[in-house]
Amino acid sequence: QVQLVESGGGLVQAGGSLRLSCAASGRTFSSYAMGWFRQAPGKEREFVGNINWSGGITSYADSVKGRFTISRDNAKNTVYLQMTSLKPEDTAVYYCAASMTAAWTQVDYWGQGTQVTVSP
């Protein structure tokens, strides 16, 4: 069993930066690929990016590529989402997720989400 707890959300002006953190419980954190998803009001949850178990491979949605960076610290059981050049359309609840499958054929665990609001 893995529990995921996000933090770091908040209100920021367009062009600003935020860093989200996702702390995981359990001793098997390094076995999981980790990812970030987001859901804006009235929209479906969408993929933001993910990182493999070692941190050596990352993947991003086109909408955030070049602005967002995912990293992980397996010693601290934590994954990060560094967001820069934020836009109002980045406003959403951001969710951390864990998957045992590198291809993300299933999500094994979700966090509770953290709100990010970007003002114009």
Side-chain angles (χ1 to χ4, degrees):
Q1 187 78 5
V2 175
Q3 289 187 321
L4 305 175
V5 179
E6 302 96 333
S7 61
L11 174 64
V12 63
Q13 287 189 327
S17 300
L18 277 176
R19 188 176 81 155
L20 305 184
S21 299
C22 172
S25 65
R27 294 177 290 179
T28 59
F29 174 75
S30 61
S31 300
Y32 289 88
M34 299 298 297
W36 288 94
F37 294 76
R38 67 186 182 185
Q39 187 167 19
K43 295 187 177 181
E44 293 188 352
R45 191 171 298 188
E46 65 175 6
F47 167 76
V48 174
N50 59 32
I51 188 166
N52 75 328
W53 67 273
S54 69
I57 301 173
T58 55
S59 177
Y60 299 94
D62 287 344
S63 58
V64 306
K65 202 171 293 184
R67 300 187 299 122
F68 290 11
T69 303
I70 296 176
S71 60
R72 66 189 295 164
D73 186 336
N74 287 343
K76 295 183 178 179
N77 280 14
T78 303
V79 63
Y80 305 97
L81 178 65
Q82 179 68 51
M83 304 185 292
T84 63
S85 301
L86 282 161
K87 305 174 182 180
E89 51 263 44
D90 294 319
T91 295
V93 177
Y94 283 71
Y95 297 91
C96 175
S99 175
M100 280 293 287
T101 63
W104 284 84
T105 52
Q106 67 180 46
V107 175
D108 295 287
Y109 301 101
W110 289 99
Q112 84 289 349
T114 186
Q115 176 71 46
V116 171
T117 302
V118 184
S119 62

